[in-house]
Amino acid sequence: MASAGGNPLVLPAVLHLRRSDADFTAALSERFRVLDFFSSGEPLPAFLAAAAAAPEPPRAAVVVGGGSVRVDASFLDAVPSLRCVLTTGAGIDHIDLAECARRGVAVANSGEVFSTDVADYAVGLLLDVLRRVSAAERYVRRGSWPVQGDYPLGSKLGGKRVGIIGLGNIGSRIARRLEAFGCIIHYNSRKPKDSISYKYFGNVHDLAAESDVLIVACALNKATRHIVDKDVLEALGKGGVVINIGRGANIDEAELVVALREGKIAGAGLDVFEHEPKVPAELFSMENVVLSRHVAVFTEESRSDLRAHTVGNLEAFFSGQPLLTPVDADSLVQ
């Protein structure tokens, strides 16, 4: 790529504001002048100030949700040269889309790169909770089987009524997988989906009341923060299971802990938490809860796909072409 002055040796500068593996960093460095925050050792304000003061300041930034960087007015003030922000996840709760639009800053996310893997993981969490796979495995490893006998039975997946909150790229894939298991699918979203046969519920409380399983697969925003609260958990009931592969704050975590402790619901599978990386300590001793560290998106294949996707979005931006997966407020309806 050439710079504005036509010098083919000058690569366009890109702010890199996520911890990445060596392959990801190398893929960027082959094509762009990477300004890496985490390898700089500088505080974020100093790092951004130095980048903004460079003779050819960065016009693009690569960020990640759940980290230390929020793309808001103060961030954009610090690097006024930015015209493109790429986030390497599907969620955009760390980006002020309205402020970016006001300043003419294009935004793109990971699109459908992770959708299949997250859908698979959600089904895996649900099977684990219902069939008590992880709990029974721990039972065997402790040597309890020959001493205490068989482990308590779990519950079958087929025939379960599954309510999905957010029928977007991920939610729709989860629905198709669970249909193959013989589940009955219901859903909630901002509005009914055309050409979808699943029963639609306009609010999550009613969805929970008609479901055996509640799967959270929606984006995090003001409307969906704590969308699963005390009332929703009570509506789900004693036999109900909650699966969350969305964002931790989609669920009122304190109320979830209470519901599990008091037996108001039967179990939970959680890949995300409200205050990551902190996890409520009370969950650790609950055999009916399966925990993982926000890894539903990651497989060897998805990491490779993400590298190619991120590079593709950056190349599109610097060549004046449309972004591969542009995001604006209207595109987030689920």
Side-chain angles (χ1 to χ4, degrees):
M1 291 183 183
S3 69
N7 184 349
L9 300 178
V10 178
L11 299 176
V14 173
L15 285 181
H16 189 212
L17 297 148
R18 72 187 295 272
R19 297 187 187 277
S20 300
D21 58 56
D23 290 338
F24 189 96
T25 303
L28 292 184
S29 299
E30 288 174 2
R31 300 164 177 83
F32 313 104
R33 182 165 57 90
V34 178
L35 307 178
D36 194 302
F37 168 53
F38 287 102
S39 66
S40 72
E42 297 180 304
L44 183 61
F47 173 78
L48 296 179
E56 293 192 26
R59 296 175 55 228
V62 177
V63 302
V64 64
S68 58
V69 177
R70 176 170 173 76
V71 180
D72 54 15
S74 61
F75 177 89
L76 296 171
D77 284 342
V79 194
S81 57
L82 286 180
R83 289 295 176 268
C84 178
V85 173
L86 307 180
T87 181
T88 54
I92 46 75
D93 45 290
H94 55 299
I95 299 175
D96 187 334
L97 290 179
E99 187 64 23
C100 286
R102 189 180 74 80
R103 297 178 186 233
V105 177
V107 176
N109 67 357
S110 61
E112 299 184 14
V113 167
F114 298 124
S115 299
T116 295
D117 294 310
V118 176
D120 290 346
Y121 202 90
V123 175
L125 280 177
L126 178 55
L127 279 167
D128 196 335
V129 175
L130 290 175
R131 297 300 304 272
R132 303 180 178 180
V133 177
S134 293
E137 192 267 354
R138 291 190 294 270
Y139 185 79
V140 172
R141 285 183 183 273
R142 288 195 301 264
S144 300
W145 187 13
V147 178
Q148 297 176 242
D150 292 339
Y151 193 76
L153 296 176
S155 178
K156 71 182 295 181
L157 176 56
K160 289 288 189 293
R161 300 169 301 162
V162 179
I164 300 175
I165 306 173
L167 205 68
N169 290 329
I170 295 171
S172 60
R173 284 171 168 80
I174 294 171
R176 290 197 294 272
R177 282 157 173 74
L178 291 177
E179 272 192 300
F181 281 91
C183 294
I184 301 164
I185 308 299
H186 306 323
Y187 76 102
N188 164 265
S189 62
R190 286 172 56 180
K191 60 182 181 180
K193 302 285 185 179
D194 295 336
S195 71
I196 293 293
S197 61
Y198 312 137
K199 185 176 180 179
Y200 171 77
F201 288 82
N203 67 77
V204 173
H205 180 277
D206 291 348
L207 176 69
E210 294 295 323
S211 299
D212 304 304
V213 175
L214 202 59
I215 299 181
V216 182
C218 58
L220 178 62
N221 51 48
K222 290 180 180 179
T224 62
R225 182 175 294 275
H226 288 187
I227 194 169
V228 177
D229 57 14
K230 178 181 179 180
D231 291 341
V232 169
L233 293 168
E234 289 181 350
L236 183 60
K238 290 182 179 295
V241 169
V242 173
I243 303 295
N244 191 3
I245 45 77
R247 284 289 187 267
N250 290 134
I251 297 178
D252 186 331
E253 196 166 79
E255 291 295 341
L256 176 63
V257 171
V258 171
L260 288 163
R261 183 179 66 232
E262 297 182 356
K264 294 180 178 178
I265 63 172
L270 308 172
D271 183 55
V272 290
F273 304 90
E274 193 161 2
H275 304 291
E276 294 178 3
K278 295 179 180 179
V279 178
E282 199 167 352
L283 295 176
F284 297 154
S285 61
M286 295 181 177
E287 293 290 344
N288 58 338
V289 178
V290 178
L291 308 172
S292 60
R293 55 175 190 85
H294 203 150
V295 293
V297 299
F298 291 122
T299 61
E300 291 295 333
E301 294 84 358
S302 70
R303 283 193 172 187
S304 175
D305 292 344
L306 179 64
R307 289 195 298 271
H309 185 81
T310 303
V311 168
N313 260 321
L314 287 168
E315 289 182 333
F317 168 70
F318 284 114
S319 62
Q321 301 300 312
L323 296 176
L324 304 181
T325 49
V327 174
D328 55 45
D330 292 337
S331 69
L332 298 176
V333 178
Q334 293 183 320

